[in-house]
Amino acid sequence: MTGYRISRLGLQGDGVAEGPVFIPLTLPGEEVEAEVIDGRARDVKIITPSDRRVAAPCPHFRSCGGCQLQHADDDFVAAWKTDVVRNALKAHGTETVLRPVVTSPAGTRRRAGFAARRTKKGAMAGFHGRASDTIIEIPGCLLLEPDVLAGRAVAEALALVGASRKTALSVMVTGAENGLDVAVSHGKPLDGPLRQQLAAICESMKLARLTWEDEVVAMREPPVHSIGAAQVSPPPGAFLQATLHGQQVLTDAVLEVTAGARRVIDLFAGCGTFSLPLAAHAEVHAVEGEAAMLASLDAGWRHAKGLKTITTEARDLFRRPLMPDELRKTGAVVLDPPRAGAEAQIAELIKSDVTKIAYVSCNPVTFARDAAVLVGAGWSADWVQVVDQFRWSSHVELVGSFTAPHMQG
């Protein structure tokens, strides 16, 4: 065993000691002893604990790989996530106002990925253990909505009929307003008997929809989510914000940035997380690479009342970003790209006459890279709202507000 002093937390939430050596479940300032192999620590013993250390609220915290930061108090986690964003921006020479973190309450996560395996006595389902393929049963996860946590029993039932003895099922459970939306991968090939068994599980467990390897095998009714004034039924596997609370915080920030714009372009629009609330006040053009998600957005808009016009366009924005002439007469743009960011689109936006940008990001590193391009072109980085809807994890989300050079002063 070797002694170490933790100097800081890395981006994955692990403590970092000189070396660097990554030591999970530790905090800055702590003196620890550990056995280290290939830069990773095991058998960690805390010699001098931090005064920010708290007792983890979940009894499974040390074994489960779902959370990284239950051992730190809430104020520390909020400050650390703010610093992650600040340091990412600082690395590119960008400064802005960082608003206080808004954190989603416990028990509000509306989706979870369970691993489920057949056993000699039946089946088991849970989450993968910390840095391992071992499945840890978590009967009382503090993060999940109760209905989503109940999806663990669904995963076990599916494993009994559809898992091989060699491979664990991956069971993604999303809570909709009218039941669970369940998508399964790594299962047995579909045949007649398996289809019948899966349909029976969907009915007996009152699932809204059951998808097996991208094929909808049973559906009692399309899963429904309220987005703004619309009801949307996303395609299987579609991206949704992790909590309704976090979605509302992000939406409020986007609406603040775009206030007053008569026409808004929503890039990487998904199923309409921002397009539909925006349409209460502005005409919206929604652009997204996945046509099925746009179809869900469009159907939700057509059945809603009181919304302004939403047009849609299926387009790969990484390969074909909107050009300046396509951005003309647009008051504001919303960007919500994947973790890779929006480098190609930013390069065109700085040539356009767009006045405001609301940039929603799940990756502070690529956000900071793109923000630096905007600032370098004269745009003002007005503020950043940090949002923590992945409580007790190292994940950080945010909304940044940017104003064009010709609108300043």
Side-chain angles (χ1 to χ4, degrees):
M1 299 285 280
T2 305
Y4 297 93
R5 179 179 174 80
I6 307 302
S7 60
R8 59 185 174 86
L9 293 192
L11 291 179
Q12 302 304 313
D14 289 347
V16 182
E18 187 176 353
V21 176
F22 296 92
I23 305 179
L25 311 186
T26 59
L27 296 172
E30 292 188 328
E31 303 283 350
V32 306
E33 290 183 351
E35 181 181 357
V36 176
I37 299 175
D38 295 329
R40 300 290 302 185
R42 64 182 186 182
D43 299 328
V44 179
K45 182 179 180 181
I46 308 297
I47 304 302
T48 306
S50 166
D51 58 3
R52 310 307 297 269
R53 178 174 286 275
V54 297
C58 177
H60 306 284
F61 172 58
R62 288 194 167 273
S63 56
C64 175
C67 295
Q68 296 87 49
L69 293 166
Q70 285 195 15
H71 60 299
D73 68 60
D74 288 348
D75 288 344
F76 172 87
V77 175
W80 175 71
K81 292 196 174 189
T82 301
D83 283 342
V84 167
V85 177
R86 180 182 291 109
N87 291 335
L89 290 166
K90 186 177 179 180
H92 290 273
T94 304
E95 294 184 0
T96 188
V97 174
L98 292 175
R99 293 179 170 180
V101 177
V102 179
T103 302
S104 292
T108 60
R109 186 83 65 85
R110 62 172 167 174
R111 69 170 185 259
F114 294 102
R117 184 185 295 277
R118 287 171 55 197
T119 66
K120 292 181 179 179
K121 295 182 179 180
M124 65 179 299
F127 302 126
H128 285 298
R130 195 174 301 280
S132 80
D133 291 329
T134 303
I135 296 175
I136 308 296
E137 294 181 293
I138 311 293
C141 177
L142 301 179
L143 288 173
L144 304 181
E145 290 181 348
D147 289 349
V148 175
L149 181 58
R152 195 170 71 90
V154 177
E156 290 179 347
L158 293 169
L160 281 174
V161 302
S164 70
R165 290 299 294 271
K166 295 182 179 180
T167 306
L169 287 184
S170 176
V171 183
M172 181 59 67
V173 176
T174 303
E177 293 173 18
N178 54 342
L180 296 179
D181 186 10
V182 180
V184 182
S185 56
H186 308 304
K188 292 179 180 178
L190 284 168
D191 57 19
L194 179 56
R195 289 178 185 274
Q196 291 181 335
Q197 291 173 307
L198 294 174
I201 289 173
C202 183
E203 185 62 35
S204 66
M205 305 192 87
K206 295 182 169 53
L207 307 181
R209 178 171 61 188
L210 177 57
T211 304
W212 195 267
E213 302 290 359
D214 298 325
E215 179 180 339
V216 177
V217 294
M219 184 164 64
R220 296 175 66 247
E221 53 184 329
V224 170
H225 299 268
S226 293
I227 304 179
Q231 298 274 294
V232 176
S233 180
F239 173 80
L240 293 168
Q241 295 294 337
T243 70
L244 287 172
H245 171 272
Q247 177 174 302
Q248 190 60 57
V249 175
L250 295 170
T251 299
D252 289 346
V254 166
L255 292 173
E256 179 183 345
V257 176
T258 59
R262 294 183 179 180
R263 183 171 187 266
V264 178
I265 294 180
D266 184 10
L267 302 176
F268 307 95
C271 295
T273 299
F274 304 117
S275 291
L276 291 162
L278 283 164
H281 311 285
E283 293 184 357
V284 179
H285 182 56
V287 186
E288 163 61 45
E290 297 293 333
M293 288 199 280
L294 285 179
S296 298
L297 188 167
D298 184 65
W301 168 68
R302 290 180 184 279
H303 288 93
K305 295 181 179 180
L307 297 182
K308 296 183 182 295
T309 300
I310 297 180
T311 55
T312 61
E313 179 183 356
R315 181 163 173 169
D316 183 342
L317 290 166
F318 292 106
R319 297 188 179 193
R320 294 182 55 231
L322 264 65
M323 306 304 285
D325 62 323
E326 297 173 286
L327 295 163
R328 290 179 59 203
K329 298 181 180 179
T330 298
V333 164
V334 178
L335 287 169
D336 185 15
R339 293 188 63 79
E343 189 171 21
Q345 187 60 72
I346 291 289
E348 303 306 326
L349 279 166
I350 61 176
K351 305 173 194 173
S352 74
D353 58 5
V354 170
T355 60
K356 294 285 290 189
I357 295 174
Y359 191 143
V360 184
S361 174
C362 60
N363 185 350
V365 174
T366 54
F367 169 78
R369 177 201 67 199
D370 293 345
V373 175
L374 287 168
V375 171
W379 284 67
S380 167
D382 308 317
W383 48 261
V384 169
Q385 173 66 67
V386 183
V387 181
D388 183 8
Q389 60 176 327
F390 288 86
R391 190 183 185 97
W392 297 318
S393 82
S394 57
H395 194 75
V396 182
E397 296 188 73
L398 58 87
V399 179
S401 172
F402 296 90
T403 301
H406 59 275
M407 295 297 292
Q408 300 169 31

